[in-house]
Amino acid sequence: MIPTPCCQRMADDLNRTCALHDDRSDCPDSFVAEMNGGYGLMIHDGGSSAVKIGFCPWCGASLPSMVC
Ligand SMILES: [Zn+2]
Ligand SMILES: [Zn+2]
């Protein structure tokens, strides 16, 4: 189940599509990715890695933790 975004900035980022990058993990304008029911901050190192975050980078809301 996809968690409900805590704020509009989060929702906008999750729904962002880019004309240049088919994959959001390739786009430097994308910050947050859904990860196993939680959220991660994408690391743009050429791969698709992301670091789990416990709080929203925009509004500071506590985010649901991942189910591993
Ligand atoms: Zn892009
Ligand atoms: Zn938020």
Side-chain angles (χ1 to χ4, degrees):
M1 192 178 107
I2 298 172
T4 305
C6 53
C7 61
Q8 193 58 49
R9 292 291 308 276
M10 175 73 91
D12 287 348
D13 193 73
L14 290 169
N15 292 321
R16 183 193 305 279
T17 54
C18 177
L20 298 178
H21 307 98
D22 286 339
D23 190 330
R24 291 185 77 245
S25 63
D26 291 334
C27 184
D29 286 337
S30 296
F31 296 107
V32 180
E34 286 162 14
M35 297 172 67
N36 303 321
Y39 292 105
L41 200 59
M42 284 191 256
I43 310 295
H44 296 293
D45 60 358
S48 57
S49 55
V51 177
K52 181 192 172 187
I53 51 174
F55 296 92
C56 175
W58 294 287
C59 75
S62 182
L63 300 173
S65 47
M66 277 184 243
V67 183
C68 295

